[in-house]
Amino acid sequence: AVGSPDGFDIVLDAVLGEFFKPGWECLAPGGRYVVYGAASMTPQQDSLGLLGWAKLAWQWLRRPWVDPLELPGQNKSVMGFNLIHCFNKAELLSSLLEDLLALDLPAPRVGLSLPFEKAVDALRTFR
């Protein structure tokens, strides 16, 4: 793995698709692969049409998978994360936010700001 002779302890993946396998292969024994999105499965246009649905079905059929029987031997784990499951846990979220703020990280770089009325355009920008 780049920058780590033994691999990475954690891989955070919001894309999946063709990015899963290289990330999985760079994971160190005892590492965790966290899936928190699947951008590769997100349609790239507003209306899919028959061809678009067929392409999406093909991607779904070819999506990455891990054999659970191989996990103990590899000593790796795959897990999913969705922040929506924390919405009813205000105390936990508050504590996590305090811990995050305590890291005193630099502000993220924002390349584009749009008003709420342009939310659809903002989402299209991510494509």
Side-chain angles (χ1 to χ4, degrees), residues 18-105:
E18 64 187 44
F19 297 98
F20 179 84
K21 186 175 180 183
W24 179 254
E25 289 173 353
C26 289
L27 197 61
R32 294 181 172 100
Y33 196 104
V34 182
V35 178
Y36 67 98
S40 66
M41 298 291 289
T42 303
Q44 299 298 310
Q45 59 275 357
D46 293 338
S47 177
L48 286 180
L50 185 58
L51 185 60
W53 281 109
K55 181 181 176 187
L56 189 59
W58 179 249
Q59 286 177 311
W60 186 84
L61 290 170
R62 297 185 67 233
R63 73 193 185 279
W65 65 277
V66 174
D67 184 349
L69 293 176
E70 292 180 3
L71 291 175
Q74 295 176 343
N75 195 26
K76 297 178 180 180
S77 64
V78 177
M79 59 187 71
F81 175 76
N82 189 333
L83 190 60
I84 200 165
H85 295 289
C86 295
F87 284 170
N88 292 328
K89 300 176 181 179
E91 288 181 26
L92 173 63
L93 281 176
S94 178
S95 172
L96 292 173
L97 182 58
E98 287 175 15
D99 291 346
L100 183 62
L101 291 173
L103 293 174
D104 197 30
L105 299 170

